Amino acid sequence: MSRTKKQTRKQFSLHAHVFTSLVKRAFREHSLLAAGGPGFVAMVTPKGYALSEFQKHVVDELYGDDPFFRRDDIHLAFMKLQGNQSDIMDDYTTHFQTKLRVVILLEHGVEVPPLINLACDGVIEIAPIKAIDLKAASMAVLRKPMSDEQAAALLSYPREYLWAALRDGRSPGNALQRLRNTTIPAQQNEAATDSSDHQSDGPRLSEMHGYGPAKDWGLELSQDIRDWKAGSITWNEIDRGILLSGPPGVGKTIFAKALAKECEAHLIASSLGKWQSEGHLGDLLKAMRKDFKNARLHSPCILFIDEIDAFGSRDAFSNDNKNYSVQVVNAFLEFLDGIDGREGVIIVGASNNVDGIDPAILRSGRLDRHVDIPLPSLAERVAILSQLIQGILPVTHLDLIGPSTQGMTGADLAKAVRDAKRLARRNRRQLTLEDLKASLPPTFKIVGEHRRSIAIHEAGHTLVGLKLRTGRFLGSFIADQIVVDSATQQGGGAYFENPRYGRRDRQFFLDQIALLLAGIAAEKICFGDISEGAGGEKSSDLASATRIATLMETSMGMGVSLAYSPVKEDSELDEVRRTDPAVTAAVSDTLTQQFERAIDTLTQHRSLLNLVADALDENGYFTPQAAHELFQTIRDDAQSLT
């Protein structure tokens, strides 16, 4: 019996005991959930702790061994600082409203989405490790007492070193001596110190890379503010605000900090979630009013409002909370208009979902300028890396790893540099190129049959787009390598530009659908089947084609019916297709017809398809000039034969 107990004790590490205790303590704040009953809570990790440190222990506590609940009744979700809130909203629709035991585990600093805040039973903050936790674990697992002084000293070391030193069979004193002998300085956890990279004492906007038109706007604004301070222009001549959009991680928050520094302006950062955390509607409006008032008092001031789409659109509010939500939006519009005066205050809004913003917020005089921040280019990524490492390595060295960063955001690059610096510190040396290579995600070379299949796919898009004149051809490309498991990675692309304004009839949208389906049409012709590359993601060819075909039926009046539906989001469009057989059939027919149209176009020009694919396969790109020369050569050959 004693041997069995000893084996069990060894398997349950001190590390696991500590984190299990922290999680159990958090669960006890919801007595019903802790007892194995139903409940829905959001749990926030302590500052400087990773979600992964708590994941297993939350799973164990959430699922437990109570046979009353089925696994289908339980759900666990995660929210990271650089995550996408729209994914949580999708989870809410799919799981949170139907499951009985639900926990959302949030990284410290993440603001709970308003809808989740309303739906959950409460927000519970998981406590950080304290001396009493380490002492209890030492007695339970190591069977050795630990003094308050020893616990405090041990907790001053990074946790990964702490767990390595506190092994079975060692006393706390021996573990502490081992740590001291390694010359590791007592310090805060590395995860906590990493947060210093996000403080406001960062670079000016003029020193930043990767922001495109947003940076141009910001530099012009800084000059305008200087002129306003000098009295050479009035405030009415300065832009009042801007809306920044783009994928998570492109640095919208960092942009606001750099802009404030460039403009030598005060910075106030807020969000609807922050205002809602103050309490009921009256408290929310009071907090909102306070931030706008402080912005005026500290002018010139950049008032940064994150996740501005959280306000929603008044046209889409449900009856359950419509009155509350309308009052919030109306108050926000009042402050944007500046009835009490807004001289010296620039509003910078950030959003990952521009379509969800009330149109009145984007009206002239409010946030009427919209700039989409793209993923940084190769040159910009190299420049960002050089800035992050403060010139320790020459740019010519960084060029060697530039292609391996394809698809990475500024936040991704910052994390890679932090990981590389940590690796260098552990090896007691200066940062090297090898450290950076080791911190980047693995890459996969696009060669052989894989490269040829992508060339065929992109050649199909290129040729159909050129033949149907779907827009101005900007070029096609194939990447030499892709980053493994990257959600934003592209193996290739073909780009056409349409005028922002102009007449767009049914034929225009049918041509766009044919263009989107031309890649798999080319695969069907050349290989006899199609690959997964055209689907699987919200931004994929198939998803985009299906979205257009559905909108033609539901809101554009270009389908079998003139009836209008206001739905725009993918989840709403999917619901329409699932519940309306007529729409489903019409969308399917449109997609099938345009797929066959693309096949017919490519079959008629099979030789051209092969020539474009050959150029892409060999060079990695196909330019508008190359397209012109290719078609000119074919025309000349045809004329010579006659």
Side-chain angles (χ1 to χ4, degrees):
M1 179 64 71
S2 60
R3 183 178 180 183
T4 303
K5 285 185 178 180
K6 186 176 182 181
Q7 289 173 343
T8 303
R9 178 170 59 84
K10 283 188 176 181
Q11 291 170 358
F12 196 56
S13 67
L14 184 140
H15 165 272
H17 186 283
V18 169
F19 279 93
T20 297
S21 299
L22 296 179
V23 169
K24 283 183 176 293
R25 193 179 305 149
F27 266 82
R28 283 199 292 271
E29 293 192 33
H30 190 295
S31 57
L32 191 57
L33 194 65
F40 177 8
V41 298
M43 290 189 176
V44 183
T45 62
K47 183 178 181 179
Y49 288 67
L51 291 178
S52 57
E53 294 183 90
F54 294 91
Q55 179 176 344
K56 177 184 181 302
H57 311 288
V58 173
V59 168
D60 291 343
E61 192 68 19
L62 181 61
Y63 283 85
D65 55 3
D66 189 339
F68 178 76
F69 289 100
R70 301 173 304 166
R71 296 183 71 87
D72 290 345
D73 294 326
I74 303 172
H75 187 68
L76 173 64
F78 307 90
M79 284 191 70
K80 298 182 178 180
L81 273 172
Q82 301 300 333
N84 191 341
Q85 283 201 4
S86 63
D87 293 338
I88 290 294
M89 293 302 98
D90 291 342
D91 245 8
Y92 176 80
T93 303
T94 307
H95 299 293
F96 299 163
Q97 291 182 314
T98 59
K99 307 298 184 180
L100 295 178
R101 287 171 61 81
V102 178
V103 170
I104 305 178
L105 190 60
L106 301 95
E107 187 176 1
H108 181 87
V110 174
E111 292 182 0
V112 184
L115 189 62
I116 301 300
N117 199 32
L118 287 169
C120 72
D121 302 330
V123 178
I124 299 171
E125 293 188 2
I126 302 176
I129 303 172
K130 299 178 181 178
I132 191 173
D133 301 315
L134 212 54
K135 291 172 60 179
S138 180
M139 284 300 298
V141 179
L142 305 180
R143 296 292 191 265
K144 297 181 184 296
M146 178 186 294
S147 68
D148 290 337
E149 292 75 13
Q150 287 174 326
L154 287 166
L155 285 175
S156 69
Y157 287 87
R159 287 190 297 281
E160 58 190 287
Y161 292 98
L162 173 64
W163 308 133
L166 281 170
R167 292 182 58 81
D168 191 53
R170 294 177 187 166
S171 68
N174 178 264
L176 188 56
Q177 189 60 45
R178 281 173 170 267
L179 287 167
R180 287 169 176 164
N181 289 340
T182 59
T183 68
I184 304 171
Q187 59 182 339
Q188 291 181 332
N189 293 314
E190 292 186 58
T193 59
D194 282 346
S195 65
S196 63
D197 292 346
H198 305 291
Q199 299 303 310
S200 57
D201 58 350
R204 303 168 68 94
L205 184 60
S206 55
E207 301 167 346
M208 302 288 285
H209 304 276
Y211 285 104
K215 179 178 178 179
D216 296 337
W217 174 86
L219 295 179
E220 290 181 2
L221 175 68
S222 67
Q223 181 59 54
D224 287 343
I225 289 180
R226 284 194 292 271
D227 292 341
W228 170 70
K229 287 179 178 179
S232 56
I233 64 174
T234 66
W235 188 255
N236 290 333
E237 298 175 74
I238 299 178
D239 279 351
R240 305 297 181 85
I242 188 171
L243 171 65
L244 303 176
S245 63
V250 294
K252 295 185 283 291
T253 304
I254 296 175
F255 175 88
K257 295 179 179 179
L259 176 65
K261 190 166 186 178
E262 186 70 39
C263 296
E264 297 180 353
H266 190 74
L267 174 66
I268 295 177
S270 196
S271 67
L272 177 60
K274 181 179 178 181
W275 291 328
Q276 284 180 320
S277 67
E278 295 295 323
H280 57 70
L281 178 60
D283 296 320
L284 182 160
L285 299 180
K286 183 178 179 180
M288 190 189 302
R289 183 179 296 107
K290 180 180 178 181
D291 278 344
F292 273 87
K293 180 180 179 180
N294 285 337
R296 293 195 303 273
L297 291 174
H298 293 90
S299 68
C301 178
I302 305 297
L303 177 53
F304 176 67
I305 303 174
D306 201 8
E307 301 294 347
I308 203 166
D309 52 281
F311 283 94
S313 176
R314 288 169 294 182
D315 295 335
F317 293 148
S318 65
N319 291 328
D320 294 338
N321 61 352
K322 185 172 184 177
N323 183 57
Y324 170 92
S325 300
V326 167
Q327 289 188 68
V328 172
V329 172
N330 288 343
F332 184 57
L333 295 175
E334 176 185 328
F335 294 131
L336 284 179
D337 288 334
I339 293 177
D340 298 327
R342 191 156 66 80
E343 182 167 348
V345 179
I346 300 293
I347 308 295
V348 177
S351 172
N352 298 328
N353 178 26
V354 177
D355 292 337
I357 301 175
D358 193 298
I361 294 175
L362 307 179
R363 200 197 70 188
S364 296
R366 292 169 180 164
L367 297 183
D368 51 352
R369 186 181 292 270
H370 173 207
V371 176
D372 183 68
I373 300 178
L375 291 172
S377 65
L378 174 59
E380 289 168 338
R381 295 195 302 273
V382 171
I384 291 171
L385 282 175
S386 181
Q387 184 179 57
L388 289 169
I389 66 173
Q390 299 174 319
I392 293 176
L393 299 173
V395 173
T396 52
H397 288 190
L398 298 178
D399 286 335
L400 299 175
I401 62 172
S404 299
T405 63
Q406 184 174 350
M408 296 180 71
T409 65
D412 295 331
L413 295 171
K415 181 182 182 302
V417 169
R418 290 198 300 272
D419 291 343
K421 288 180 177 179
R422 185 176 296 117
L423 183 59
R425 287 198 304 271
R426 289 172 182 167
N427 288 279
R428 308 290 197 280
R429 53 173 166 72
Q430 192 179 49
L431 181 74
T432 67
L433 188 64
E434 293 304 315
D435 294 328
L436 283 173
K437 287 181 179 179
S439 69
L440 293 173
T443 58
F444 178 82
K445 291 281 188 180
I446 300 179
V447 295
E449 292 182 1
H450 184 202
R451 184 177 179 86
R452 184 63 186 179
S453 68
I454 295 177
I456 290 291
H457 184 100
E458 301 306 337
H461 286 307
T462 302
L463 193 53
V464 167
L466 289 168
K467 285 296 179 181
L468 298 184
R469 301 180 184 276
T470 56
R472 184 168 69 91
F473 178 53
L474 301 179
S476 308
F477 84 97
I478 298 179
D480 291 328
Q481 58 188 5
I482 58 175
V483 177
V484 177
D485 297 330
S486 173
T488 58
Q489 195 65 81
Q490 278 187 300
Y495 298 98
F496 291 83
E497 181 183 62
N498 285 293
R500 186 172 181 180
Y501 302 104
R503 188 172 188 273
R504 298 184 177 185
D505 55 12
R506 174 180 170 82
Q507 191 58 53
F508 171 86
F509 290 105
L510 292 178
D511 290 346
Q512 296 300 315
I513 294 173
L515 171 63
L516 288 164
L517 300 179
I520 56 174
E523 293 184 35
K524 183 71 173 178
I525 292 171
C526 297
F527 304 121
D529 57 10
I530 63 176
S531 66
E532 64 178 352
E537 300 290 339
K538 292 180 179 180
S539 59
S540 66
D541 293 339
L542 286 177
S544 299
T546 304
R547 186 181 305 115
I548 294 173
T550 308
L551 289 171
M552 290 174 67
E553 298 294 332
T554 58
S555 64
M556 294 182 184
M558 296 178 180
V560 295
S561 170
L562 289 175
Y564 170 78
S565 171
V567 298
K568 291 182 179 180
E569 298 297 323
D570 284 344
S571 58
E572 297 173 326
L573 294 173
D574 182 60
E575 179 69 17
V576 170
R577 288 192 296 270
R578 288 191 292 108
T579 57
D580 191 330
V583 170
T584 302
V587 169
S588 179
D589 288 345
T590 297
L591 295 176
T592 300
Q593 291 166 8
Q594 297 312 306
F595 179 61
E596 293 173 350
R597 182 183 174 208
I599 287 180
D600 290 343
T601 301
L602 294 173
T603 301
Q604 294 172 23
H605 303 283
R606 177 67 183 271
S607 60
L608 281 178
L609 176 64
N610 290 332
L611 288 172
V612 175
D614 290 344
L616 281 166
D617 195 354
E618 181 178 352
N619 303 319
Y621 57 85
F622 187 70
T623 65
Q625 181 62 29
H628 175 75
E629 293 174 356
L630 176 62
F631 294 150
Q632 185 62 48
T633 300
I634 292 173
R635 280 194 291 269
D636 293 343
D637 291 343
Q639 290 174 1
S640 66
L641 291 175
T642 59

